[in-house]
Amino acid sequence: MSCAYRMSMTALPASVPDVAVRVLLNLGGCGSYANIVADFEPPGPAGNFELLNVVPKSHLPPEFLPALRAGLLEGLNGVSAAVLLTDGAYHEVDSSDYGYRIAGQEAGRAALIGAGLLPPCEAETLRWAHWPTKPRARRRRPSQLPRH
């Protein structure tokens, strides 16, 4: 089964609520941590990407928002959407722009899968993203496992 896809739409066609991404990366010593929850909606009348944030600064410092925004734009791959950040967390030592960029990329791709713009099998490539309608990973039967 191929996971090839082609996006012909430029706007998110459906809502994808409660996309949660928690990045835990250990890069030798300190890690890269990011934690966000976002709702994705079709864009407003202007059709542009929008990022709205209702998370308190104590949970998501504003200095991480540019990296998160860049990651969301990469993950959405040219598809416009209205994104509402509803929750988040950071770690004083381990949070970084890199972690929030990864979180944005995974959240954007999750929204594309949830809205039907990417095939469900693409969900298997997302390491840290979860959302209510995330397809379950296909389990391999013992006969399908590679032999050593």
Side-chain angles (χ1 to χ4, degrees), residues 6-148:
R6 187 176 163 187
M7 287 194 277
S8 59
M9 303 183 88
T10 58
L12 196 70
S15 298
V16 184
D18 298 323
V19 175
V21 182
R22 185 173 175 201
V23 176
L24 298 166
L25 243 172
N26 187 345
L27 302 172
C30 57
S32 194
Y33 176 83
N35 190 347
I36 62 160
V37 179
D39 293 337
F40 288 78
E41 298 286 335
N48 297 326
F49 173 83
E50 285 184 272
L51 178 59
L52 306 169
N53 181 16
V54 296
V55 182
K57 292 177 184 178
S58 61
H59 291 185
L60 181 58
E63 63 259 24
F64 295 122
L65 292 178
L68 178 60
R69 179 184 180 84
L72 285 164
L73 289 169
E74 287 175 31
L76 288 168
N77 194 26
V79 174
S80 61
V83 182
L84 175 64
L85 297 175
T86 59
D87 200 2
Y90 81 105
H91 186 272
E92 285 185 29
V93 174
D94 290 335
S95 286
S96 67
D97 285 345
Y98 182 66
Y100 280 95
R101 187 174 195 122
I102 291 172
Q105 289 169 345
E106 287 225 352
R109 288 184 52 80
L112 295 180
I113 295 165
L117 295 178
L118 289 178
C121 60
E122 286 288 317
E124 294 176 24
T125 66
L126 300 179
R127 182 174 177 184
W128 295 290
H130 301 281
W131 62 101
T133 59
K134 181 177 183 178
R136 293 184 180 262
R138 292 184 294 152
R139 298 185 119 186
R140 291 184 175 184
R141 290 185 225 137
S143 62
Q144 295 174 324
L145 294 175
R147 294 185 181 204
H148 297 287

